[in-house]
Amino acid sequence: PPPPIPSNFSLSIINPVSVRASWTSGGGTTAGYYLAHTQGESAPSCTAGSSLGNATSTVVDELKPNKKYTFALCAHNASNLEGPQTSRQITMPDLAPPNAASDLQVKNIEYNSADFTWVNGGGTTTDFAIIGKIGSVAPSCSTASSLGLVLKTTVTGLQSDSDYTFALCARNLAHVNSPAITISLRTLIAPPPAPINFKLAKATEK
């Protein structure tokens, strides 16, 4: 037979993008659980979510601040036959954009790399991203890879003897970028390659 409905299903906010879901087993033929969520007020089918094994709590990340979500939970038996589902709704708190970093500096410019440092602007900042391209127009931070909560980095793979413009942004938990701060640099000329096939000819005796 299908398992009974889980009880004491609850949602608690960890931060503006994360929720902890917890519940109590209804017993019977319960072998595991399905948990699904969707943005809005309509409950999804619990089987649209992930199978959680026999855990009775889990953390759901990557939600959006200031949005309402509906979560659906059901148990399943050893044959993956699900029982009736129960649902709960939660509205995530708002999250302000991060403050922009400041004092972006570049040091140790080489022909293919450069070191960058900056100062954290604080606020809701949890991450930084830096990106550069050849030319005088700064690129968008939206395509930049995350660096983590650090205050320096080394960028490699640059083209020698070229003018670059770099943009640095702070990010918050929702991956919202701050306004960018920018800096320009010119890479050094690459050193010449080493000679090859260097040989010493035997002197001719006279």
Side-chain angles (χ1 to χ4, degrees), residues 19-95:
V19 160
R20 180 178 296 278
S22 59
W23 57 90
T24 302
S25 172
T29 59
T30 297
Y33 304 92
Y34 292 115
L35 179 69
H37 68 277
T38 189
Q39 193 176 123
E41 299 192 6
S42 298
S45 169
C46 61
T47 56
S50 301
S51 177
L52 302 175
N54 58 7
T56 55
S57 69
T58 190
V59 173
V60 179
D61 296 313
E62 302 294 327
L63 304 176
K64 294 185 181 299
N66 202 30
K67 299 293 183 182
K68 177 179 281 189
Y69 287 86
T70 302
F71 285 73
L73 171 74
C74 65
H76 65 80
N77 64 18
S79 299
N80 288 326
L81 176 64
E82 74 271 12
Q85 74 176 38
T86 180
S87 63
R88 296 288 185 274
Q89 291 183 345
I90 194 167
T91 299
M92 305 303 294
D94 201 3
L95 181 64

Side-chain angles (χ1 to χ4, degrees), residues 80-162:
N80 288 326
L81 176 64
E82 74 271 12
Q85 74 176 38
T86 180
S87 63
R88 296 288 185 274
Q89 291 183 345
I90 194 167
T91 299
M92 305 303 294
D94 201 3
L95 181 64
N99 297 333
S102 62
D103 196 25
L104 178 60
Q105 297 185 22
V106 60
K107 304 174 182 177
N108 302 324
I109 300 171
E110 301 291 344
Y111 69 93
N112 62 354
S113 66
D115 296 338
F116 297 84
T117 62
W118 57 90
V119 175
N120 189 346
T124 59
T125 297
T126 58
D127 192 8
F128 291 97
I130 193 168
I131 188 170
K133 72 174 184 178
I134 293 176
S136 59
V137 178
S140 170
C141 287
S142 61
T143 58
S145 300
S146 294
L147 300 172
L149 192 57
V150 297
L151 298 178
K152 63 181 180 179
T153 192
T154 298
V155 176
T156 60
L158 303 180
Q159 183 173 307
S160 68
D161 195 27
S162 300

